[in-house]
Amino acid sequence: AQSVTQPDIHITVSEGASLELRCNYSYGATPYLFWYVQSPGQGLQLLLKYFSGDTLVQGIKGFEAEFKRSQSSFNLRKPSVHWSDAAEYFCAVVSSNDYKLSFGAGTTVTVRA
Amino acid sequence: EAGVTQSPTHLIKTRGQQATLRCSPISGHTSVYWYQQALGLGLQFLLWYDEGEERNRGNFPPRFSGRQFPNYSSELNVNALELEDSALYLCASSLELNTEAFFGQGTRLTVV
């Protein structure tokens, strides 16, 4: 079955430390991949996307993600987190079969001073 | 340029009533998506409309329905409300298939 998995429910990082959020997908063909961020009580904001080409993608707010076909992964990274990065992060996938945008369960990031 | 707008921001209904949620996509966007975000359940796909037609539907009962108007705005109707329908309902729009979706701020539906 097609699925998007975010293995980490909650991550706590210190301000200034690096951050990596994991995302794995299970689809027959390489889907279109996205990372979104959601602040409490708000809608979702697109951080970055991967359709094709260069497997290292740069996004807004200093985030980047790397697509690894062999591992069916699309992990999100940030070299140095800021307190304002505390939020919930969602990996999302659009399948080329049904064009449905499906989300992982999300990872909540807490930033400690 | 205005983003995706949803109304109302908050909605309180009694069990058994009907709720209507509205969404205006970004100008020029023809696809509208609806998601339910209930506490602890993540984002669940509800409905996808494109060019006025329902293109896909998630695993929700028929009392969840909607439509897309000629101006591409959309409404989501939830009939016979149940307490479990309490959630944040998010609408998103996209320009065409396989491009990024832009989300509204959501409608918080509370069923009491």
Side-chain angles (χ1 to χ4, degrees):
Chain A
Q2 298 177 338
S3 65
V4 186
T5 303
Q6 292 181 248
D8 305 304
I9 297 173
H10 190 195
I11 287 180
T12 299
V13 294
S14 299
E15 192 169 14
S18 64
L19 174 68
E20 182 168 13
L21 304 181
R22 296 182 289 165
C23 173
N24 295 96
Y25 63 90
S26 174
Y27 283 77
T30 300
Y32 298 99
L33 300 158
F34 307 85
W35 275 99
Y36 286 86
V37 61
Q38 185 180 33
S39 298
Q42 300 296 311
L44 276 71
Q45 181 182 23
L46 179 70
L47 286 174
L48 47 77
K49 62 189 178 190
Y50 174 78
F51 290 168
S52 65
D54 192 348
T55 57
L56 185 62
V57 183
Q58 301 298 320
I60 62 171
K61 303 186 179 187
F63 284 92
E64 66 177 26
E66 185 172 12
F67 168 63
K68 292 186 177 180
R69 185 188 306 274
S70 61
Q71 298 177 19
S72 296
S73 69
F74 188 56
N75 294 348
L76 181 72
R77 299 193 293 254
K78 185 168 184 177
S80 176
V81 299
H82 186 261
W83 64 267
S84 60
D85 293 323
E88 189 159 20
Y89 292 79
F90 293 92
C91 180
V93 167
V94 169
S95 165
S96 58
N97 292 332
D98 59 12
Y99 303 108
K100 187 170 73 174
L101 178 62
S102 298
F103 287 84
T107 299
T108 300
V109 173
T110 299
V111 180
R112 61 184 173 214
Chain B
E1 180 181 315
V4 177
T5 57
Q6 292 186 244
S7 63
T9 305
H10 293 85
L11 188 59
I12 300 175
K13 291 286 187 178
T14 304
R15 189 171 52 184
Q17 286 187 315
Q18 178 196 33
T20 298
L21 288 63
R22 295 180 176 83
C23 173
S24 293
I26 292 172
S27 178
H29 286 194
T30 60
S31 279
V32 170
Y33 309 84
W34 286 96
Y35 289 85
Q36 183 195 64
Q37 188 176 27
L39 196 62
L41 294 180
L43 281 135
Q44 303 299 315
F45 170 74
L46 266 166
L47 290 159
W48 168 33
Y49 292 96
D50 182 63
E51 297 282 1
E53 300 286 331
E54 182 179 302
R55 301 297 186 184
N56 208 333
R57 181 182 180 87
N59 294 323
F60 281 84
R63 58 190 186 83
F64 286 84
S65 65
R67 54 179 170 167
Q68 186 177 34
F69 299 98
N71 66 354
Y72 303 116
S73 67
S74 175
E75 68 179 30
L76 173 69
N77 295 294
V78 188
N79 294 320
L81 284 165
E82 300 178 1
L83 297 178
E84 300 73 42
D85 297 333
S86 295
L88 181 66
Y89 288 82
L90 292 166
C91 171
S93 73
S94 67
L95 183 59
E96 56 189 15
L97 293 178
N98 298 334
T99 60
E100 61 264 40
F102 295 86
F103 282 80
Q105 296 301 294
T107 293
R108 173 73 62 186
L109 173 64
T110 302
V111 183
V112 297

